[in-house]
């Protein structure tokens, strides 16, 4: 099987996770608000094992979906609805809204 750019990215984002989780004593919780078709904050520093709760304050449906397949995806959130994802990667994960793809933000995990 040829090594594609996607498989290289997947390998680099996944490999350090076990070691990072083993050395981290306590996970932190973070929140991202989705309001006026934007993620607030637009960039956030996290660590493996942390959780991030996304809450949609808009009337429109939104998602928070990693640009790289399978890293995380809240699914569609209605107004007032939240979804929590657990950080299972290191590096920077760009994400976007599947319904409004111009909505973009990132999580950086170290
Ligand atoms: Cu949206």
């Amino acid at each position: 099987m040829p090594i594609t750019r996607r498989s290289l990215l997947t390998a680099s984002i996944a490999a350090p996770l076990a070691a990072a989780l083993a050395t981290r004593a306590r996970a932190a919780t973070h929140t991202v608000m989705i309001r006026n078709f934007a993620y607030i904050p637009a960039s956030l520093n996290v660590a493996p094992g942390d959780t991030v709760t996304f809450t949609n304050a808009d009337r429109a449906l939104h998602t928070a979906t990693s640009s790289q397949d399978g890293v995380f995806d809240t699914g569609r959130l209605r107004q007032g609805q939240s979804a929590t994802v657990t950080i299972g990667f290191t590096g920077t994960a760009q994400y976007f809204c599947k319904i409004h793809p111009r909505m973009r933000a990132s999580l950086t995990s170290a």
Side-chain angles (χ1 to χ4, degrees):
M1 188 172 119
I3 295 176
T4 65
R5 178 167 168 76
R6 170 163 289 174
S7 67
L8 284 172
L9 285 169
T10 302
S12 67
I13 212 166
L17 178 59
L21 283 173
T23 57
R24 184 162 172 82
R26 174 185 285 209
T29 61
H30 308 269
T31 58
V32 173
M33 187 64 62
I34 310 173
R35 186 187 297 279
N36 295 330
F37 292 79
Y39 301 100
I40 305 163
S43 62
L44 181 63
N45 292 316
V46 298
D50 287 1
T51 57
V52 181
T53 298
F54 296 87
T55 301
N56 181 14
D58 283 345
R59 292 188 69 174
L61 291 170
H62 295 301
T63 77
T65 305
S66 58
S67 300
Q68 182 181 324
D69 286 349
V71 179
F72 64 89
D73 188 359
T74 63
R76 291 176 174 225
L77 299 175
R78 296 184 303 273
Q79 186 175 34
Q81 199 172 23
S82 296
T84 299
V85 302
T86 300
I87 302 302
F89 64 90
T90 56
T92 296
Q94 309 289 335
Y95 65 93
F96 69 109
C97 174
K98 280 183 169 175
I99 305 162
H100 312 100
R102 66 187 169 79
M103 294 173 58
R104 297 194 158 270
S106 66
L107 300 177
T108 297
S109 175

